[in-house]
């Protein structure tokens, strides 16, 4: 059967050609169940089933493995491949003769030959962001208004309305078929207006208008710096931030300033008649303001550009008509372009004009004079920095990098750099007080060998976690380590002994890594001379699309050339695994060479110059997180482990018992102990730094819950709520210093607007709002927040209540931004209740998944009606602050919560959760 099947695309053939089946498949197809089936149906029918059917066997919950049949990724990819090719294949252009045999008047040509523009067409914003162009020439390159092109009015009209070149010769005829100059036809006055627009665009004083409308905020920034000069604090004798840099970081132009500048330019280069009447000008400025204030990932369609604009607002469009001219019948007879009413054709002219104004004037204008970017703390918002301000910011950031670990390359040709090393672009993102460089490594991410090295490092990490020290890579690892620790110190917690917690953050963790040291550590980790990989495809179904394909390789380590059994690496996401039967091997020397190039040969292009990174590794690389964890894991194993578990620290205590817990999320340390001396020694040790590893802590990111001598220069990030409890933030978690209970860290919302954390799709429906709210709830449903082995019943319910508080605030921001959706109160109530049910179901699924995949046995003591009651209470508490908008919805919510009775009367945990003192930070949020 195998010989006959090898001529087909059956997945069994892949196993035969690949040199053996995976270990998982071998177990699945050789189990006793197959023997029973073979005994019942016989050889002939069994062969038929294996050859002509697709069989999927479960390997874990919601994950199946295909063992026979045509590979599912091949089956599903065929129609997608065809449709994709259809999009990219463009018909070959052929020269066509103009279908008109006689002269056509200008009005008929404009109405019938203009391109048809859909109001759903997208206005591309990607050119606005991260513009690297330094020229102040707005209309450059192939732009129709470029000075070098010397455009004429008729070519501009043809460009705006998409009139074919073969029809250009008819653009000089009036309605009577003549070319006289004493006519009032639009073929005379519209070109005059366009000529005026062209001349105005060349004479406009753009820079003067820019200084007039966008220079105010720099003064505001100076005032802010002056007010904060007294409040600045020092770390280690150095100023916390550079005054001049801080002023420039706050000197971005506001949305109103940018709109004011854009509108001033438009009114000076576009003739008043083309801008329409007073109502259209006001509506157009409002639409420009909507465009400028868009968040980072929001989209803008032509319908948003049009807004409330109408043809009647533009007299020059209203005057264009077919009337009874000599060629109206000819147009319909010869080329059949008169489909649609005359009003629809005028509407299309308006669409073409407004769309061109946004895409060819507004966007190039913003692109030429502003650098548009997000900020690290407000990554969904768009900030408009003047190019001059941004140039000063990047210059100061570059000088700082040159002093630390970057070196400019001089005397080396660009071709030699690109041929010998990796070259990547760098852009800067403003932080609170300085700039963070981000490296674009998309080109490297497509490198096949780099992806293989990444998979091998992950495999080594899974098989040898001790090499990575106390590293944790997600909340599942934190949950597992915390449960093991709490189970071992349960008696200490019952005695209510004092808990000592220390949090420390490595300063510039990626930038201070020694190249030679990290390469030495990698050499010690790679124990085999040869590594074998086998490719496996995962097919994941999605509601919005037919299928999404994620390709990954399962790694099996082999000592020599023998191919050992392959084990399937199961991820948490559901799907169908399809073995491709493709085996590849990579030598240890090749891995070492690639990692050495990644570490030592990083070349970055900043502006027009190339820089070499002398110390540290690039943060954007796939390998960087594992290399960083491996580097600091070696530090722990070499220095910290000997220090922490040395019997001389506490000779009276039994050091064999796990009285302390150390975890590290890449560069964020947390140390928990029941001994103050132990915690203090750890704090003093990491505070001194590790010279051999070039590793020092960030003085502004310490956290400790006990008194430390000579700690004036250390900023203690401990958080105390109105209820009197103390928490230490660590990697998105708030850890109770008295009970080690876990809550989500929402402190980052204290200094920002909640509306700046969302992305809204205009003209969206109720399904969109429901999907956004459910998507927000996903990270809040991790079992670590609801495990009764870690948290008390009150804290479990408080975590749910706080998640719904923030969800209600985001709900308000979405509804306010989607004012045109016209959603009824009953629809909103349905969405809210659907979010509650979704969260409760997801918590249960996550609890089950963690129990299956990790050596953790979480306990969930939560009823669905409690989740519903907490959600309704949270929405009532938040929306009461906006009761003028939600009067009817609040009445429905009160009616709904009444159906659950007074649950809080019989539950201390529910009363604890809804107490305002335990959620005091939420009442400081701005939404």
């Amino acid at each position: 059967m195998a010989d006959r099947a090898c001529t087909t695309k059956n997945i069994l053939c892949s196993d035969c050609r690949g040199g053996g089946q995976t270990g998982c498949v071998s177990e699945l197809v050789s189990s006793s169940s197959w023997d029973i089936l073979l005994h019942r149906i016989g050889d002939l029918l069994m062969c038929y089933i294996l050859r002509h059917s697709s069989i999927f066997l479960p390997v874990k919950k919601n994950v199946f493995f295909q063992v026979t049949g045509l590979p599912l990724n091949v089956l599903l990819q065929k129609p997608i491949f065809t449709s994709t090719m259809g999009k990219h294949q463009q018909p070959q252009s052929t020269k066509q003769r103009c279908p008109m045999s006689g002269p056509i008047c200008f009005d008929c040509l404009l109405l019938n030959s203009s391109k048809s523009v859909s109001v759903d067409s997208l206005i591309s914003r990607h050119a606005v962001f991260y513009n690297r162009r330094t020229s102040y020439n707005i209309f450059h390159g192939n732009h129709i208004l470029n000075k070098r092109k010397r455009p004429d009015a008729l070519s501009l009209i043809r460009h705006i309305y998409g009139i074919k070149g073969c029809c250009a010769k008819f653009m000089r005829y009036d309605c009577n078929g003549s070319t006289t100059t004493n006519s009032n036809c639009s073929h005379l006055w519209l070109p005059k207006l366009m000529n005026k627009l062209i001349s105005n665009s060349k004479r406009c004083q753009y820079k003067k208008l820019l200084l007039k409308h966008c220079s105010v905020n720099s003064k505001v920034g100076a005032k802010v710096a002056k007010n904060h000069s007294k409040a600045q604090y020092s770390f280690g004798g150095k100023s916390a931030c550079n005054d001049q840099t801080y002023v420039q970081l706050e000197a971005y132009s506001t949305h109103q300033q940018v709109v004011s500048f854009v509108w001033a330019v438009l009114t000076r280069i576009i003739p008043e008649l083309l801008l329409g009447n007073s109502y259209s000008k006001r509506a157009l400025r409002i639409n420009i303001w909507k465009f400028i204030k868009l968040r980072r990932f929001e989209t803008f369609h032509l319908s948003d550009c049009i807004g409330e604009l109408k043809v009647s607002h533009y007299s020059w469009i209203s005057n264009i008509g077919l009337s009874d001219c000599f060629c109206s019948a000819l147009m319909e007879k010869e080329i059949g372009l008169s489909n649609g009413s005359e009003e629809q054709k005028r509407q299309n002219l308006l669409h073409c004009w407004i769309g061109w104004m946004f895409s060819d004037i507004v966007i190039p204008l913003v692109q030429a004079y502003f650098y548009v970017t997000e900020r690290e703390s407000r990554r969904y918002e768009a900030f408009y920095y003047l190019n001059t301000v941004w140039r000063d910011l990047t210059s100061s950031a570059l000088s700082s990098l040159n002093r630390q670990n970057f070196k400019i390359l001089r005397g080396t040709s660009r071709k030699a750099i690109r041929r010998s090393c990796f070259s990547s672009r760098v852009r800067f993102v403003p932080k609170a007080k300085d700039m963070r460089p981000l490296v674009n490594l998309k080109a490297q991410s497509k490198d096949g060998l780099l992806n293989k090295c990444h998979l091998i490092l992950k495999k080594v990490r899974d098989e040898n976690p001790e090499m990575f020290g106390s590293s944790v890579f997600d909340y599942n690892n934190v949950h597992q380590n915390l449960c093991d620790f709490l189970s071992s110190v349960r008696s200490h917690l019952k005695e209510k002994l004092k808990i000592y917690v220390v949090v420390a953050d490595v300063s510039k963790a990626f930038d201070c890594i020694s190249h030679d040291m990290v390469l030495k550590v990698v050499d010690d980790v790679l124990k085999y001379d040869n590594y074998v990989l086998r490719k496996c495809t995962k097919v994941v179904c999605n509601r919005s699309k037919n299928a999404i394909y994620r390709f990954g390789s399962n790694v099996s380590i082999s000592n020599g050339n023998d191919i050992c059994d392959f084990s399937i690496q199961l991820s948490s996401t559901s799907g169908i695994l399809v073995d491709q039967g493709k085996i590849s091997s990579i030598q240890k020397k090749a891995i070492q060479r690639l990692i050495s190039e990644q570490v030592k040969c990083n070349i970055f292009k900043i502006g027009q110059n190339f820089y070499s990174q002398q110390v540290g590794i690039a943060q954007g690389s796939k390998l960087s997180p594992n290399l960083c964890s491996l580097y600091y894991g070696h530090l722990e194993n070499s220095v910290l482990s000997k220090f922490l578990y040395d019997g001389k620290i506490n000779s009276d205590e039994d050091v064999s018992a796990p009285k302390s817990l150390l975890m590290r999320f890449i560069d964020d340390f947390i140390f928990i102990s029941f001994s103050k001396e132990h915690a203090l020694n750890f704090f003093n040790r990491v505070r001194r730094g590790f010279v051999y590893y070039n590793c020092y802590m960030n003085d502004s990111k310490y956290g400790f819950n006990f008194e430390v001598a000579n700690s004036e220069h250390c900023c203690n990030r401990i958080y105390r709520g109105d209820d009197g409890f103390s928490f230490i933030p660590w990697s998105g978690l708030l850890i109770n210093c008295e009970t080690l209970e876990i809550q989500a860290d929402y402190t980052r919302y204290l200094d920002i607007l909640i509306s700046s954390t969302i992305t809204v799709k205009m003209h969206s429906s109720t399904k969109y709002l429901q999907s956004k709210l459910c998507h927000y709830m996903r990270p809040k449903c991790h079992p670590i927040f609801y495990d009764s082995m870690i948290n008390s019943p009150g804290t479990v319910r408080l975590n749910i209540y706080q998640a719904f508080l923030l969800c209600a605030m985001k709900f308000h921001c979405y509804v306010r931004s989607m004012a045109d959706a016209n959603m009824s109160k009953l629809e909103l109530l349905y969405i809210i209740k659907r979010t509650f049910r979704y969260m409760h179901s997801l918590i249960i699924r996550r609890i089950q998944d963690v129990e299956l995949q990790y050596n953790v046995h979480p306990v969930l003591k939560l009823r669905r009606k409690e989740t519903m009651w907490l959600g309704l209470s949270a929405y009532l508490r938040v929306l009461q602050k906006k009761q003028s908008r939600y009067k009817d919805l609040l009445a429905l919510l009160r009616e709904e919560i009444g159906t659950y009775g007074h649950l809080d009367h019989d539950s201390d945990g529910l009363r604890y959760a809804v107490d305002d003192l335990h959620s005091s930070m939420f009442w400081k949020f701005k939404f």
Side-chain angles (χ1 to χ4, degrees):
M1 179 208 161
D3 294 338
R4 294 172 62 187
C6 283
T7 60
T8 68
K9 292 184 179 180
N10 196 299
I11 199 168
L12 292 173
C13 306
S14 300
D15 296 327
C16 295
R17 289 192 294 264
Q21 293 176 321
T22 65
C24 180
V25 177
S26 300
E27 294 179 3
L28 292 173
V29 299
S30 61
S31 62
S32 58
S33 301
W34 287 92
D35 295 333
I36 296 173
L37 179 62
L38 178 62
H39 178 72
R40 290 177 177 177
I41 65 176
D43 294 343
L44 186 61
L45 189 56
M46 175 64 83
C47 290
Y48 182 86
I49 291 175
L50 293 178
R51 291 187 59 194
H52 300 288
S53 64
S54 296
I55 300 177
F56 305 89
L57 299 179
V59 290
K60 66 180 288 288
K61 184 179 179 181
N62 296 329
V63 176
F64 297 85
F65 200 94
Q66 184 176 3
V67 294
T68 65
L70 182 67
L72 187 62
N73 60 303
V74 175
L75 180 66
L76 293 179
Q77 219 168 7
K78 286 182 179 180
I80 298 176
F81 178 80
T82 305
S83 61
T84 306
M85 290 298 294
K87 291 180 182 178
H88 294 287
Q89 287 180 349
Q90 300 293 338
Q92 296 182 354
S93 59
T94 56
K95 292 186 177 180
Q96 297 180 354
R97 294 181 59 188
C98 181
M100 298 308 304
S101 58
I104 303 297
C105 76
F106 182 84
D107 285 10
C108 290
L109 188 65
L110 202 60
L111 285 172
N112 291 287
S113 297
S114 297
K115 60 183 178 182
S116 179
V117 181
S118 172
V119 293
D120 295 327
S121 57
L122 195 66
I123 302 297
S124 178
R125 297 176 63 221
H126 72 275
V128 172
F129 292 93
Y130 320 131
N131 180 31
R132 297 188 297 267
R133 188 164 52 87
T134 57
S135 173
Y136 282 105
N137 183 16
I138 301 174
F139 309 117
H140 61 93
N142 296 324
H143 198 282
I144 188 66
L145 295 179
N146 190 355
K147 294 180 180 180
R148 297 180 180 178
K149 284 181 173 282
R150 297 180 180 179
D152 60 275
L154 294 181
S155 62
L156 180 58
I157 294 173
R158 284 167 46 200
H159 175 77
I160 295 174
Y161 296 104
I163 299 176
K164 296 181 180 179
C166 61
C167 301
K169 59 185 178 181
F170 302 121
M171 297 181 69
R172 302 181 184 276
Y173 290 92
D174 61 9
C175 296
N176 298 318
S178 65
T179 59
T180 57
T181 59
N182 58 356
S183 173
N184 292 325
C185 185
S186 56
H187 90 286
L188 294 178
W189 54 261
L190 186 57
K192 289 181 180 179
L193 292 174
M194 292 298 175
N195 274 326
K196 189 175 181 180
L197 187 154
I198 295 171
S199 60
N200 289 344
S201 67
K202 297 177 180 179
R203 293 198 304 262
C204 182
Q205 301 294 322
Y206 299 101
K207 292 184 180 179
K208 288 184 178 180
L209 294 175
L210 183 70
L211 294 175
K212 177 181 178 181
H213 294 276
C214 297
S215 62
V216 179
N217 207 47
S218 59
K219 298 179 182 179
V220 175
K223 292 180 181 179
V224 171
K226 185 177 180 180
N227 294 335
H228 283 73
S229 59
K230 297 181 181 180
Q232 287 183 3
Y233 44 86
S234 299
F235 297 135
K238 296 183 180 180
S239 176
C241 65
N242 184 281
D243 292 344
Q244 184 63 27
T245 303
Y246 181 77
V247 172
Q248 291 175 332
L249 283 170
E250 299 301 320
Y252 54 84
S253 300
T254 64
H255 294 161
Q256 290 290 0
Q257 289 174 327
V258 178
V259 172
S260 178
F261 165 66
V262 171
W263 183 251
V265 172
L266 288 179
T267 54
R268 280 163 177 78
I269 68 175
I270 298 179
E272 186 175 0
L273 183 63
L274 295 180
L275 286 175
N277 58 22
S278 59
Y279 184 87
S280 66
K281 292 177 184 177
R282 183 166 59 253
L284 183 59
R285 179 161 181 165
I286 291 174
N287 295 340
I288 294 174
W289 178 78
K290 291 179 180 178
F291 177 80
I292 295 298
K293 78 178 185 68
L294 286 175
R295 301 176 186 90
R296 173 66 185 90
F297 300 104
E298 291 179 345
T299 56
F300 206 68
H301 295 82
L302 181 58
S303 59
D304 304 313
C305 300
I306 301 296
E308 301 295 329
L309 295 176
K310 299 179 181 178
V311 174
S312 58
H313 300 155
Y314 295 85
S315 59
W316 61 277
I317 298 180
S318 301
N319 292 333
I320 299 175
L322 296 175
S323 65
D324 295 325
C325 64
F326 74 99
C327 57
S328 58
L330 183 63
M331 291 286 290
E332 181 178 1
K333 178 180 179 181
E334 296 202 11
I335 58 178
L337 292 177
S338 61
N339 295 327
S341 65
E342 191 171 339
E343 184 61 30
Q344 291 175 340
K345 295 174 182 178
R346 291 196 185 98
Q347 190 72 27
N348 187 65
L349 293 181
L350 177 63
H351 295 170
C352 293
W353 167 245
I354 299 298
W356 178 83
M357 190 187 303
F358 271 85
S359 59
D360 284 40
I361 296 184
V362 175
I363 290 178
L365 192 62
V366 174
Q367 185 182 10
Y369 288 100
F370 297 94
Y371 184 89
V372 188
T373 181
E374 74 278 8
R375 299 188 70 169
E376 190 175 61
S377 59
R378 299 159 72 177
R379 61 183 184 272
Y380 290 104
E381 288 189 90
F383 293 87
Y384 294 79
Y385 287 91
L386 291 172
N387 280 341
T388 52
V389 175
W390 187 256
R391 192 181 302 115
D392 294 338
L393 281 170
T394 52
S395 298
S396 61
L398 274 176
S399 61
S400 175
L401 288 175
N402 288 333
R403 289 193 303 267
Q404 296 172 1
N405 52 5
F406 275 52
K407 178 182 177 182
I408 189 170
L409 298 179
R410 302 184 186 277
T412 307
S413 66
R414 297 189 177 187
K415 289 184 178 180
I417 291 174
R418 292 171 181 170
R419 185 170 56 251
S420 60
C421 304
F422 292 109
S423 175
S424 306
R425 280 198 172 273
V426 175
R427 70 177 178 90
F428 292 93
V429 174
K431 298 171 63 178
K433 298 176 181 179
D434 58 357
M435 304 275 281
R436 178 187 293 276
L438 294 182
V439 185
N440 184 0
L441 295 171
K442 287 185 178 179
Q444 295 187 25
S445 64
K446 298 178 181 179
D447 186 276
L449 188 58
L450 181 66
N451 293 331
K452 292 178 182 178
C453 289
H454 171 65
L455 291 168
I456 290 173
L457 285 179
K458 285 181 62 178
K459 185 72 173 180
V460 171
R461 185 186 75 191
D462 295 338
E463 294 186 348
N464 304 283
E466 68 280 356
M467 302 294 294
F468 291 79
S470 62
S471 294
V472 290
F473 299 94
D474 53 28
Y475 284 166
N476 292 325
N477 299 139
V478 177
H479 190 191
Q480 184 177 7
N481 291 351
L482 194 58
C483 284
D484 294 341
F485 175 71
L486 291 177
S487 62
S488 63
V489 297
R490 191 71 62 187
S491 59
H492 294 72
L493 293 174
K494 290 180 180 179
E495 296 173 7
K496 297 185 177 180
L497 296 179
K498 174 71 174 178
I499 301 173
Y500 301 92
V501 184
V502 178
V503 168
D505 179 83
V506 179
S507 178
K508 299 181 179 178
F510 289 87
D511 298 335
C512 67
I513 291 178
S514 170
H515 290 173
D516 295 331
M517 175 61 71
V518 73
L519 292 177
K520 179 180 178 300
V521 174
V522 170
D523 291 342
D524 295 338
V525 169
L526 300 176
K527 299 179 180 179
Y528 302 111
D529 295 330
N530 186 44
Y531 292 85
V532 182
L533 299 89
R534 184 161 187 161
K535 191 172 183 180
C536 184
T537 301
K538 188 168 189 178
V539 180
V540 181
C541 295
N542 195 336
R543 293 182 180 179
S544 60
K545 299 179 181 179
N546 291 332
I548 294 178
Y549 300 100
R550 285 202 290 270
F551 297 91
S553 295
N554 294 296
V555 183
S556 179
I557 299 176
S558 173
N559 187 9
N561 296 323
D562 296 332
I563 300 176
C564 60
D565 289 338
F566 291 83
S567 59
I568 303 300
Q569 292 180 329
L570 301 176
S571 60
S572 59
T573 57
S574 59
I576 297 175
L577 297 168
V578 184
D579 185 16
Q580 301 298 293
K582 296 179 181 179
I583 295 177
S584 60
S585 63
I586 178 172
Q587 299 293 323
K588 177 180 177 180
K589 293 182 179 179
I591 301 174
Q592 292 173 331
R593 182 173 60 254
L594 178 66
I595 295 179
S596 178
E597 290 177 355
Q598 285 283 309
V599 171
K600 287 191 171 183
C601 300
N602 269 329
I603 306 298
F604 302 133
K605 186 178 182 182
I606 308 176
Q608 300 301 318
N609 298 321
F610 288 92
Y611 296 82
S612 173
Q613 189 172 9
Q614 303 297 305
V615 182
I617 58 178
Q619 292 192 39
S621 173
K622 272 187 174 183
L623 304 181
S624 295
N626 283 324
L627 291 178
C628 188
S629 298
L630 191 60
Y631 183 80
Y632 293 113
H634 190 273
L635 181 151
E636 291 177 16
N637 296 331
S638 303
V639 183
L640 274 182
S641 61
K642 297 178 181 179
F643 176 81
L644 290 176
Y645 302 109
D646 188 354
K648 296 180 180 180
I649 293 179
N650 275 320
S651 57
D652 297 334
E653 297 182 6
D654 182 13
V655 296
S656 62
K659 301 292 178 60
S660 62
L661 174 65
L662 176 65
M663 290 187 291
R664 176 177 44 79
F665 211 126
I666 299 184
D667 61 336
D668 293 339
F669 286 91
I670 183 170
F671 181 74
I672 304 172
S673 177
F674 287 91
S675 169
K676 181 178 180 180
E677 183 182 0
H678 209 178
L680 186 60
N681 286 334
F682 174 81
F683 176 81
N684 291 329
R685 182 64 191 90
V686 297
R687 186 180 176 186
R688 292 200 308 268
F690 306 88
V691 180
Y692 185 68
Y693 290 88
N694 193 30
C695 172
Y696 301 92
M697 301 299 135
N698 190 338
D699 287 336
S700 64
K701 293 186 177 180
Y702 280 113
F704 45 89
N705 64 332
F706 54 92
E707 293 185 2
V708 178
N710 301 322
S711 61
E712 296 81 9
H713 300 304
C714 299
C715 179
N716 190 1
R717 294 189 301 158
I718 196 168
Y719 171 78
R720 291 183 177 87
D722 292 349
D723 54 1
F725 291 110
S726 299
F727 298 88
I728 288 185
W730 178 73
S731 299
L733 303 175
L734 279 183
I735 301 176
N736 192 310
C737 297
E738 298 180 7
T739 62
L740 294 184
E741 293 182 341
I742 302 297
Q743 294 179 214
D745 184 8
Y746 297 102
T747 55
R748 70 183 184 92
Y749 293 99
L750 287 171
D751 300 325
I752 61 176
L753 294 172
I754 302 298
S755 59
S756 66
T757 65
I758 65 174
T759 298
V760 181
K761 179 181 177 182
M762 293 190 176
H763 314 296
S764 50
S765 62
T766 55
K767 288 185 178 179
Y768 174 80
L769 177 59
Q770 178 179 313
S771 65
K772 296 297 287 187
L773 295 178
C774 291
H775 179 74
Y776 155 74
M777 299 306 300
R778 292 185 65 84
K780 304 298 185 293
C781 294
H782 196 278
I784 196 172
F785 299 117
Y786 312 106
D787 187 359
S788 295
M789 301 296 292
I790 298 176
N791 293 330
S792 64
T795 303
V796 169
R797 285 148 184 82
L798 178 61
N799 284 332
I800 293 178
Y801 181 69
Q802 290 184 347
F804 283 132
L805 283 177
L806 187 58
C807 185
M809 294 178 184
K810 294 199 173 191
F811 168 84
H812 164 71
C813 296
Y814 278 117
V815 172
R816 186 178 58 184
S817 301
M818 298 163 54
D820 58 341
N822 294 323
M823 290 178 285
S824 66
K825 307 307 176 187
L826 289 175
E827 288 178 319
L828 293 178
L829 179 63
Y830 172 80
I831 292 172
I832 292 172
K833 292 169 60 178
R834 178 69 181 87
T835 308
F836 302 159
R837 293 191 295 268
Y838 176 81
M839 181 180 186
H840 188 85
S841 301
L842 186 58
I843 291 174
I844 295 175
R845 291 201 303 270
R846 294 275 180 87
I847 290 284
Q848 295 171 350
D849 291 342
V850 166
E851 192 170 4
L852 289 173
Q853 295 182 37
Y854 299 88
N855 189 23
V856 179
H857 302 286
V859 177
L860 179 65
K861 297 180 180 179
L862 180 70
R863 294 177 296 173
R864 181 181 292 272
K865 65 178 182 179
E866 289 181 317
T867 303
M868 302 291 289
W869 187 89
L870 288 168
L872 291 169
S873 300
Y875 269 80
L876 281 170
R877 183 67 177 84
V878 170
L879 298 185
Q880 280 174 354
K881 293 179 175 291
K882 312 289 182 181
Q883 54 184 326
S884 60
R885 179 188 289 268
Y886 302 105
K887 183 178 179 181
D888 297 335
L889 180 59
L890 284 169
L892 291 176
L893 290 172
R894 292 190 186 98
E895 181 181 351
E896 186 68 27
I897 199 173
T899 60
Y900 293 93
H902 298 283
L903 288 180
D904 54 331
H905 291 178
D906 301 326
S907 173
D908 294 336
L910 291 178
R911 286 198 302 272
Y912 178 90
V914 298
D915 189 345
D916 283 354
L917 290 177
H918 302 311
S919 304
S920 55
M921 78 172 75
F922 284 83
W923 320 131
K924 302 174 185 178
F925 294 169
K926 299 177 182 179
F927 65 98

